[in-house]
Amino acid sequence: SSRNKFMAPTRILRIDFLDIKDEDIREAADSIRSGGLVIIPTETVYGVAVNMLHQKAVERLYAIKQRPKDKPFSIAIDKKERVEEFARDIPIAAYKLMSKFWPGPLTLVLKGVEQPSVGLRIPDDEIALRIIEQTKAPILLPSANLFGKPAPVNFETAIQDLNGRVDLAIDAGPVKLGIESSIVDVRVEPLQITRVGAISREDILKAAQNKSILFICTGNSCRSVIAEALLKNMLLEQKRDDVEVTSAGLMILGNRRIARRQDSFIQARPRCLRPHCAGSYPGDDQEIRPYPGYGEGTRGRNIKNRSRGKK
């Protein structure tokens, strides 16, 4: 029959979110790595996971989805640090959207390292993330539906047309959101929202346009904390919510508490920071500018002067 044209009947694994077994995750990851097509849940809809490096598996996926070869599938990754494996010339707006919505229902279209464009997403689903991590290969993850049919929000719908066409299917019950991811093309300026899904247009634009300021010092228990507190208070006084202010340290030893002298300074400004534990510098998603001067008074005046007139 046409249902069995591609493969033998599909093996079904039932996984309880409250009791995810390592052996089930391993079986799914091994199948994907070796060229199998595997239905897995995400928080948006059920998808078909395929090893991007396995040419025959990719060809089967295109055949099942009846998708033109010039329309690539998006790639699912398990952490933000992997973005630069697949994308280049990543704009600041993309990092802002990643920070706000990943893991979650947002697909970003970026300039590819080896192709004109690449779509990337980090699902907000423990089963999906564990499978992606253990597969140790780039995974294509389109929705588990045939061409022209709606994306499946439960396992029964996903397996209905794909039983016998895929190698393995994970039944984890209904998905959390039940609506596809929003898609944003950040290769262009201004960015283009090509599909409004689980995240609204307003929320996407707000996150992309918001400013992000990160103060960095050595231990994140003194100077950077004071700078963060001062700027947060000024923004509160100006009733501004378009700037996200954080602080971090380059050399963090455990959850170091804020220094006593700085703590008394911050307690006088109760809305800004307390309680505070030192945090490490997260990466390169903000532009770093050297900031001269070490005295608290000088630092505070400089921050205040720099913020004047910037509404």
Side-chain angles (χ1 to χ4, degrees), residues 205-262:
L205 293 176
K206 182 178 179 181
Q209 292 165 1
N210 274 5
K211 302 171 184 64
S212 180
I213 297 175
L214 171 65
F215 291 104
I216 301 174
C217 66
T218 305
N220 192 217
S221 65
C222 180
R223 291 163 291 162
S224 59
V225 184
I226 292 293
E228 179 185 356
L230 286 168
L231 185 52
K232 279 186 171 179
N233 268 285
M234 274 185 277
L235 293 169
L236 283 169
E237 290 168 2
Q238 296 173 9
K239 295 182 171 57
R240 289 181 59 175
D241 61 358
D242 62 326
V243 182
E244 179 184 357
V245 185
T246 54
S247 64
L250 296 174
M251 297 177 66
I252 299 298
L253 300 174
N255 287 329
R256 188 178 175 191
R257 303 296 303 181
I258 188 170
R260 183 176 300 175
R261 186 160 54 110
Q262 280 71 30

Side-chain angles (χ1 to χ4, degrees), residues 95-163:
Y95 284 114
K96 291 180 181 179
L97 293 172
M98 292 177 211
S99 177
K100 178 70 174 178
F101 298 116
W102 278 6
L106 177 71
T107 300
L108 290 177
V109 180
L110 300 135
K111 293 179 182 177
V113 171
E114 297 179 353
Q115 62 270 15
S117 67
V118 61
L120 296 174
R121 183 167 99 82
I122 302 180
D124 187 16
D125 180 279
E126 186 179 354
I127 293 174
L129 288 174
R130 286 176 63 175
I131 290 172
I132 294 167
E133 180 184 10
Q134 290 208 22
T135 300
K136 302 187 186 307
I139 289 182
L140 304 178
L141 189 58
S143 55
N145 58 300
L146 299 181
F147 180 77
K149 295 205 172 183
V153 299
N154 56 56
F155 178 76
E156 291 74 22
T157 307
I159 197 65
Q160 183 176 3
D161 289 321
L162 295 181
N163 196 0

